[in-house]
Amino acid sequence: MEINVHKFQEAILDGSFEHTENHLTAAAFKKDGIEVGLTKVFADVRKAIDKQQLIQADLVIDFPEPTIITVETGIINLPFANVNKVTNFLEADEIVPVRVYLVVASPFVNVSGLRIDEIATAADYLTGFETLNKQMTASVHEKLDHIQEEMAKPKETAKPVPANKQKTPAKKTTRRTATKRTTTKKTTTAAKTSATKPAAAKKPAAKITKRTTKKAAPKTTRRTTKK
């Protein structure tokens, strides 16, 4: 069974694939285990591949936080939800074999909450489904054991902080906007400058010297008397 990469993407985005969903309560799982539920899933997958149909077959275990076990047919180890990323790894016009994948989704399975494993090509699944179903069942058991261990662990609760170590809430600082002072610029005028200069010392008034004019003595003319 082969398919064009672009057609595979279109089929998943359009919902043109078979989808089955079976539920198993936590009580039924505890009593009867997982085998009955997985048998239905495996039967649905085999029928779809026989018809050359893509399929996503879910088994939901209704734990307080559900665990979803899915067997689906795809072309790369990405769940159907991430079909848009397929062309990051394959060319859109490639013809590739359809493969069978086992997907376990749970917040306790690992950090990402998702584990996906390639099982076989669709063609190989049809010829060896009995052995492959046993392998998938063993893998699911292993993962469910881990999930239940993680679920049983007490959840970490935040320890109360002693009052003396509690952080004092930071005080809100109101930022003051500095008011600019308007500085009046003093303009020094020439007049002011001259006003501030000490007055020049006045020169003492010139002494007026009175000239005493001596009057000339009158000339005496002697008359000579001729005898």
Side-chain angles (χ1 to χ4, degrees), residues 104-128:
V104 179
S106 165
F108 301 101
V109 70
N110 55 29
V111 177
S112 69
L114 185 76
R115 173 68 187 263
I116 181 166
D117 297 297
E118 183 181 328
I119 304 304
T121 63
D124 287 343
Y125 181 78
L126 285 180
T127 58

Side-chain angles (χ1 to χ4, degrees), residues 7-45:
K7 283 185 178 177
F8 171 77
Q9 285 183 302
E10 281 187 334
I12 303 306
L13 292 170
D14 294 343
S16 303
F17 60 90
E18 289 192 24
H19 178 245
T20 62
E21 187 174 300
N22 294 286
H23 283 259
L24 190 63
T25 65
F29 165 72
K30 191 175 180 180
K31 182 184 174 184
D32 302 322
I34 200 77
E35 281 75 14
V36 174
L38 283 178
T39 299
K40 291 178 183 177
V41 168
F42 297 149
D44 291 338
V45 172

Side-chain angles (χ1 to χ4, degrees), residues 129-222:
F129 65 89
E130 289 181 355
T131 302
L132 294 170
N133 287 349
K134 285 177 184 177
Q135 289 176 4
M136 281 193 278
T137 302
S139 179
V140 169
H141 271 297
E142 184 185 335
K143 290 173 178 63
L144 285 173
D145 287 344
H146 173 73
I147 287 167
Q148 289 178 97
E149 282 176 17
E150 293 298 311
M151 283 172 62
K153 288 180 181 178
K155 290 184 179 179
E156 289 184 12
T157 52
K159 292 180 181 178
V161 182
N164 58 347
K165 288 189 179 179
Q166 285 181 0
K167 286 186 179 180
T168 309
K171 287 184 180 179
K172 287 187 179 179
T173 309
T174 308
R175 201 171 179 183
R176 285 188 178 180
T177 310
T179 309
K180 287 187 179 180
R181 282 188 176 183
T182 310
T183 310
T184 308
K185 223 173 183 181
K186 291 184 179 180
T187 309
T188 308
T189 58
K192 194 167 184 180
T193 307
S194 58
T196 52
K197 275 189 179 181
K202 286 185 180 180
K203 289 185 180 180
K207 284 185 180 180
I208 300 171
T209 308
K210 282 185 179 182
R211 268 188 173 180
T212 306
T213 309
K214 289 183 179 181
K215 285 183 181 182
K219 283 184 178 183
T220 307
T221 307
R222 272 187 174 181

Side-chain angles (χ1 to χ4, degrees), residues 57-135:
D58 294 333
L59 176 62
V60 182
I61 306 174
D62 296 318
F63 292 136
E65 293 190 61
T67 293
I68 304 171
I69 298 157
T70 304
V71 179
E72 65 187 27
T73 49
I75 57 176
I76 194 169
N77 61 338
L78 287 171
F80 282 6
N82 294 336
V83 71
N84 284 326
K85 295 181 181 178
V86 168
T87 44
N88 292 346
F89 308 96
L90 299 169
E91 295 297 326
D93 56 354
E94 276 187 78
I95 306 295
V96 293
V98 174
R99 301 175 184 277
V100 176
Y101 294 92
L102 174 65
V103 185
V104 179
S106 165
F108 301 101
V109 70
N110 55 29
V111 177
S112 69
L114 185 76
R115 173 68 187 263
I116 181 166
D117 297 297
E118 183 181 328
I119 304 304
T121 63
D124 287 343
Y125 181 78
L126 285 180
T127 58
F129 65 89
E130 289 181 355
T131 302
L132 294 170
N133 287 349
K134 285 177 184 177
Q135 289 176 4

